[in-house]
Amino acid sequence: MMKMLENKVALVTGAGQGVGQGIAFALAAEGAKVAVAGRTLRKLEETCEQIRRNGGTAVAIQCDILRQEEIDACVARAVDEFGGIQILVNNAQIVPTGRILDVSDDDFLIGINSGPLATVRLMRACYPYLKGDGNIVNLASSAAARWDASGYGHYAATKEAIRALSRGAACEWAEHGIRVNVIAPHALSPSLEGWVNANPQEAQAFFNTIPMRRVGECEADIGRAVAMMVSDNMRYLNGATVPLDGGQAYWG
């Protein structure tokens, strides 16, 4: 039986751990060849080894998304390895957190450069290969939908910029056979897991705000949803933000 993403090539940034890794695992499980991109080669190789042990195909590509030349080289390498790109997942970002008076301009700019700017650069670089049968999934956050946004203003701003750019690309590129959607996930990444372990009472209070009373698993809950979104099973989904957060945020 043919898998959902057989003969597809995916490029996933920030795939050395956490959500990006979970997405890479899920895409590979559905038959996609995966270019695993990120800053730390050792982590990328570990992701690839796991994919290969499970019968999939993957290549590790070291890439700093803050640098245009490295983005271009990353896309070229993925195309050289696998002959094209049909799926792009923009997961990597350095997020600025803190209160309005505390976040420096430099930290905010890193959030912008690694978030909306890097997202646009990767979409542009992949565009020629995505035409005709392409899917892009970008990452946003429910931080913009929090009832109390204290400490999340800069973070939410970068993620809302990604949502706006994704919507623009979805409308502009649909006629070229490219779908663009966004996910806003809660997932048990290494950073969140560390926070949970260090702050068990606060973490439990956080879980209690999620109707499903748990944070999603990187592969089973987030990765598999992305695999479905980029498959032909959801071929009419375009320009949407899909909250994968157990029902926590009310997007309106």
Side-chain angles (χ1 to χ4, degrees):
M1 184 174 177
M2 193 169 183
K3 297 179 179 179
M4 284 195 302
L5 303 177
E6 203 79 42
N7 301 319
K8 304 289 187 182
V9 176
L11 170 59
V12 183
T13 68
Q17 63 182 16
V19 173
Q21 184 183 65
I23 292 172
F25 287 162
L27 297 179
E30 288 299 335
K33 298 174 183 176
V34 185
V36 177
R39 291 185 297 176
T40 307
L41 188 58
R42 175 184 55 81
K43 291 181 178 181
L44 302 175
E45 291 289 5
E46 289 171 359
T47 299
C48 291
E49 284 302 315
Q50 182 64 43
I51 288 172
R52 294 177 190 127
R53 281 196 296 270
N54 292 330
T57 302
V59 63
I61 305 176
Q62 195 167 20
C63 175
D64 182 352
I65 60 169
L66 289 170
R67 301 175 66 87
Q68 177 73 64
E69 63 270 23
E70 293 199 24
I71 287 174
D72 293 340
C74 174
V75 171
R77 172 83 185 282
V79 172
D80 287 344
E81 288 282 342
F82 297 135
I85 298 173
Q86 288 80 42
I87 300 163
L88 168 65
V89 180
N90 280 306
N91 167 68
Q93 183 181 356
I94 302 167
V95 295
T97 57
R99 301 179 75 85
I100 297 297
L101 295 178
D102 297 332
V103 175
S104 69
D105 287 356
D106 287 344
D107 286 343
F108 189 25
L109 284 171
I110 289 174
I112 291 171
N113 291 338
S114 66
L117 182 57
T119 295
V120 166
R121 285 173 166 174
L122 276 151
M123 290 196 298
R124 287 173 177 160
C126 290
Y127 170 79
Y129 309 103
L130 295 168
K131 290 173 71 174
D133 182 26
N135 275 277
I136 299 172
V137 175
N138 296 325
L139 269 76
S141 170
S142 60
R146 290 175 61 93
W147 68 272
D148 181 358
S150 301
Y152 290 92
H154 293 85
Y155 174 35
T158 66
K159 290 299 190 182
E160 284 298 277
I162 289 172
R163 285 218 304 151
L165 292 163
S166 300
R167 179 67 185 170
C171 295
E172 293 174 13
W173 294 355
E175 65 179 307
H176 303 299
I178 302 172
R179 293 192 292 120
V180 185
N181 291 292
V182 176
I183 60 169
H186 279 331
L188 197 58
S189 63
S191 60
L192 181 59
E193 190 169 10
W195 175 79
V196 169
N197 292 335
N199 305 278
Q201 291 184 329
E202 187 177 354
Q204 188 57 55
F206 172 73
F207 294 155
N208 289 341
T209 67
I210 301 174
M212 294 183 73
R213 295 298 188 268
R214 68 178 180 86
V215 174
E217 296 178 20
C218 292
E219 179 180 359
D221 295 318
I222 310 305
R224 290 180 187 173
V226 171
M228 180 64 72
M229 287 171 62
V230 300
S231 75
D232 286 342
N233 291 305
M234 299 191 73
R235 65 183 188 177
Y236 202 50
L237 182 70
N238 187 42
T241 296
V242 179
L244 301 175
D245 62 2
Q248 185 193 48
Y250 180 66
W251 288 83

